[in-house]
Amino acid sequence: MLEPLYTAEEMKRAEAGHDVDELMARAGGAVAEEALRRFPDAQRFVGICGAGANGGDGRIALEVLESRGKAARAAEDAPVEEADVILDALFGTGFHGEPREDAARAIEAMNAAGKPIVSVDLPSGVNASTGEVAGACVNATVTVTMHGPKVGLELAPGRFHAGEVVVADIGLDRAETEHRLVTPAILGHVPRRRADQNKYTSGTVLVVGGSRGLTGAPSLAAEAAFRADAGYVAVAVPSSTLAVFEQRLLEAVKLPCPEDEGTISPRAIEPISEFASKAGALALGPGLGRGAGPREVVRRLLADLDRPAVVDADGLHDLEPFERDAPTVLTPHEGELARLLGRESDWIAARRLNAVQAGADDVGAVVLLKGADTLVASPGRGALVCDLGNPGLATAGTGDVLAGIVAAFLAKGMDAKRGAAAAAAAGGVAARLAAESHGTAGMIASDVVEALSPALSR
């Protein structure tokens, strides 16, 4: 369900007490075998090897390749341009910061050569513990990483430099890690409707949003909550939009609310609160709109209700600090998290792990940072990383779908962190199933909703 993701320090502890030469021999042999398997017709291998253990792994790999009849040389003996395949063994897990000028030149030469690159453990220039890239960085074709995946291979921007990642067993014991990788097995821990349950006890969700012109977002969230196995879903929406929802949402109950020029008014707080007292979870924000009125609605509902809640989209805009005991999940993208932290989006993108943890600590709630590597963090704890999706998820509406899934899982009694991680996994697996039917090009959010039930039924 949750697999280890190793930092540099955790790898150091895992290797402690083992014979260094033996580990290097296994690592170098694994790199050579993968290079031979991946590029069987290549004859000339050139390695860029650093002075540390990573460089030692690379030199052993070159020796093994040479013993197999290949022309395998270090870069000082053969120019990179002459290689059929380049071995990147410049920096290992201990690297952090920005490469020095000579190392940066070597990295740039590897990237400019236009040849396949096999990186040893991780691409040179990637911080193994965070995925941060501070300067020049190798663009690997394949990365052969030792023992288990590193944090830096799963998190952006490092993940986008790694190419295909192959894990090599070098004889170390599995260890507990601060950060964990979410697998599809987590979906087996999502409660399903039982024979002794009815529509109310199998999970009830109330979606609050839907300003005029933004009715699609709450519709997607509500449909996703149903497909994520909620038994009862309602939408609280501006009264002038009711006709849209009556036609779009056949199964959902509708609560028409007082409005101010097409957005839910603070006058709606009392009827929403009364209705929400019977809900298992709230989804606040899909299509809510912005301004003082919607902001007050979110603030009061979070303060006054003891229901689990997911806050998404417009619900995050100008979100004020809050304290609540009920499970709470925020689902920002990088721009929304940047606003919450008073930072720029580029700062978030460059250090996603630190940013999501800072968000969770500052807000005092679980934060799910959306992206190719979806990160879920709770205050003071390690992150869960989910990369089960595909590029088809980069389309309008999939965030609303995710909010609906989170709400459904919270309504079923899952704790905030695990429920958010399971929701990210469900959306990712559904996207893969949708791609089997529709392809990733042109995938839309409704395709993901359609695939949710099969994803959870597997």
Side-chain angles (χ1 to χ4, degrees), residues 86-355:
I86 299 169
L87 296 188
D88 161 36
L90 188 57
F91 297 130
T93 56
F95 172 81
H96 58 87
E98 186 175 354
R100 295 188 300 271
E101 186 176 347
D102 55 340
R105 285 197 300 268
I107 290 170
E108 290 164 359
M110 283 189 269
N111 289 337
K115 305 296 175 64
I117 301 176
V118 178
S119 285
V120 179
D121 225 8
L122 71 164
S124 293
V126 172
N127 185 315
S129 300
T130 66
E132 294 176 19
V133 174
C137 186
V138 166
N139 296 318
T141 308
V142 59
T143 297
V144 182
T145 196
M146 311 310 157
H147 180 53
K150 312 303 182 291
V151 174
L153 295 174
E154 294 293 337
L155 269 61
R159 64 176 287 132
F160 298 124
H161 291 268
E164 183 177 346
V165 176
V166 177
V167 177
D169 182 2
I170 57 172
L172 300 177
D173 293 331
R174 179 187 173 102
E176 290 298 314
T177 58
E178 179 182 7
H179 310 296
R180 309 293 292 278
L181 183 66
V182 177
T183 73
I186 196 172
L187 298 182
H189 294 260
V190 176
R192 303 298 200 274
R193 295 183 218 178
R194 303 190 310 269
D196 62 345
Q197 289 183 314
N198 58 42
K199 62 184 178 183
Y200 301 109
T201 58
S202 59
T204 64
V205 171
L206 174 61
V207 180
V208 180
S211 60
R212 199 179 301 156
L214 296 173
T215 56
S219 297
L220 287 167
E223 290 168 346
F226 268 127
R227 293 298 187 185
D229 205 40
Y232 183 97
V233 180
V235 292
V237 298
S239 57
S240 65
T241 66
L242 183 62
V244 175
F245 291 100
E246 290 285 18
Q247 295 183 58
R248 172 70 186 267
L249 296 176
L250 299 181
E251 298 87 356
V253 173
K254 294 86 179 176
L255 176 65
C257 296
E259 64 177 88
D260 293 321
E261 297 182 352
T263 62
I264 289 180
S265 167
R267 300 191 306 279
I269 293 171
E270 183 175 346
I272 291 175
S273 297
E274 182 178 352
F275 197 96
S277 65
K278 300 176 183 178
L282 308 174
L284 305 177
L288 182 66
R290 299 178 182 179
R295 183 169 64 248
E296 179 66 9
V297 170
V298 172
R299 186 190 71 80
R300 285 279 304 281
L301 292 178
L302 288 176
D304 296 349
L305 298 176
D306 62 355
R307 304 288 85 190
V310 53
V311 186
D312 182 54
D314 289 339
L316 297 168
H317 192 76
D318 290 335
L319 183 67
E320 298 175 354
F322 61 86
E323 292 185 9
R324 65 194 317 260
D325 296 327
T328 308
V329 180
L330 276 56
T331 56
H333 54 57
E334 288 174 353
E336 290 164 338
L337 183 57
R339 285 193 293 272
L340 288 172
L341 294 177
R343 296 279 190 170
E344 297 294 327
S345 296
D346 290 347
W347 188 92
I348 305 295
R351 45 187 65 80
R352 286 173 59 83
L353 182 61
N354 290 337

